[in-house]
Amino acid sequence: MTDLVAAPGSDTAKTEVVPETLSGALGTGQLPPGEQPVEWAPREPAPRKKRVGLWVGIGAGVVVLGAAAASMVLIAPGTSVAGIQVGGLTPGMAAETISARLAETEITLTGMGDDVVVTGADLGASVDATTLAEQAFADRPLWNVGQWGADPIPATITLDTETAESALRAAVPTSFSDATDATVVFDAASGTYTVTPAESGTGIDVASLSDAFVEAIGDGKSDLEFSGDPTEALPEISTEDAQATAGELNTMLSTIGFYVGEERTVPVAPTVAATWLSVENVDGALVIEADPAAIQKTVDGLAAAVDRAPVNATNVVNSSGDVLRELTGGQAGRTVGDTSSVADDFAAQLAEGNANFALSVTETPFETTGLVRRAEVDLSEQRAYFFENDKLVNSWYISSGRAGHETETGHFTIRAHVRIQDMVGEDYVTKDVPWVTYFNGNQAFHGTYWHSNYGNVMSHGCVNMPISAAKWVYEWAPDGVEVWVHN
């Protein structure tokens, strides 16, 4: 049998006859009789054969080293990120593959007659491809055989709402009509905040489209269909949202002002408060804001409205000091404190829904004066005297009880007041007696219209006085004033 072999180190191929035992063919290892081996080239010396083995070993080593190097830079086979295959890729290539799949995925908008195609890039599709690719390589390198074909790595894919809506409006403008947000405005006529209702519009639901897009990517698809027909587009600010905000504002208007304790010392009119307050749409929610500069105009007048001098109290008292009547209520003086930060502080408070601002004041206590009032009836002089802190303040001639109806002597206290009444005795009835001030049983000071003989005994036991004098006593002497009747 004849084989062709390449002789290492030779420029020409040489042929030699190899015994069949050496060539693997049939035979006993002996040449046929008379046949001599034919040699086209001398056989290679034995040492030269070792060189062939060396070359083969070097080639295998290169292959092994290359595979090992790849295992250190590539992602394990079968790895997918959100349905996108990245196995066998470097992290950089994987990131590009992920981004490209999102950008190039086509969405066919159906239902409008002529279908319209937009891409993920048109809709602002995005994902953190670099981080996901690095995670895939970190968790599932090629050398980690146990991670080959592992479960997909989840990813958060989003569509930019503004970009998507802009692209969809351009693609299918007939499917869009703008919704109208509800608004809150101040009505000066009623002094309250009122609501303008919201109105729905139409559009393509970007949230539902985003869900369909993510599902298609997860299923390994590079295209999908989605209805481009108009659906209801709700306003950002609903009528209910606006009504809730208006209700909060109107509640604030009912109590808004600057307070000292529980006293609403400086009320703020609704029309003024409305110049402080505004309602803003912040990320789809109504937010109450207040303007410190507008509030400052009222703050500048706080001192004039709040500051006051103390008002001393004056009471009618008896000889023991018990208060019988308050003539003048005491009132502490006060001075408003530092107001440099009030406008800013109140603005922040109003934004939180609190319209009652507590002022810091310094108080000056009031003093109390007691007036000891007493009455004295001198039967021998037929005269009544009235004292305040032992100083005579008024005196009149009177008519006390005549014989058989004497006015009793002693120390008494005024016990009751009757504006007008009929007086009835065993032998008399006197109608419409005015300004009656009782001090001893049924004996009293009262006005007298049926005689003017004062200075002489005339009555059935009471102290008859001119009507004007009786009225003065009625008003001057409260219950508890001491009365001394003597001769």
Side-chain angles (χ1 to χ4, degrees), residues 320-379:
S320 299
D322 299 325
V323 176
L324 306 180
R325 177 188 291 168
E326 181 183 79
L327 296 181
T328 304
Q331 191 174 65
R334 65 190 179 200
T335 304
V336 71
D338 179 21
T339 61
S340 59
S341 66
V342 167
D344 288 330
D345 293 344
F346 201 2
Q349 191 174 296
L350 288 166
E352 296 175 354
N354 184 352
N356 300 4
F357 190 86
L359 289 171
S360 174
V361 299
T362 300
E363 290 196 342
T364 303
F366 62 85
E367 298 178 355
T368 300
T369 299
L371 301 177
V372 181
R373 290 181 177 177
R374 62 183 179 86
E376 184 177 333
V377 179
D378 189 329
L379 299 179

Side-chain angles (χ1 to χ4, degrees), residues 378-390:
D378 189 329
L379 299 179
S380 62
E381 294 181 1
Q382 288 293 290
R383 193 172 187 89
Y385 300 89
F386 300 90
F387 299 89
E388 190 172 84
N389 289 347
D390 291 329

Side-chain angles (χ1 to χ4, degrees), residues 73-90:
V73 297
L74 301 180
I75 299 170
T79 299
S80 67
V81 175
I84 303 170
Q85 292 294 325
V86 294
L89 303 178
T90 65

Side-chain angles (χ1 to χ4, degrees), residues 380-459:
S380 62
E381 294 181 1
Q382 288 293 290
R383 193 172 187 89
Y385 300 89
F386 300 90
F387 299 89
E388 190 172 84
N389 289 347
D390 291 329
K391 179 181 179 180
L392 181 66
V393 293
N394 238 326
S395 175
W396 289 274
Y397 282 111
I398 53 92
S399 292
S400 62
R402 63 179 183 267
H405 299 280
E406 291 85 355
T407 302
E408 295 183 15
T409 59
H411 291 276
F412 311 101
T413 56
I414 292 175
R415 65 177 186 82
H417 294 69
V418 179
R419 168 65 183 81
I420 190 169
Q421 71 175 109
D422 296 342
M423 287 190 171
V424 180
E426 293 181 357
D427 55 354
Y428 70 92
V429 173
T430 306
K431 307 286 286 185
D432 298 330
V433 178
W435 307 112
V436 182
T437 304
Y438 286 100
F439 61 86
N440 176 28
N442 60 0
Q443 294 185 343
F445 299 103
H446 62 71
T448 306
Y449 59 82
W450 54 92
H451 78 82
S452 57
N453 191 24
Y454 304 112
N456 299 290
V457 293
M458 292 287 294
S459 77

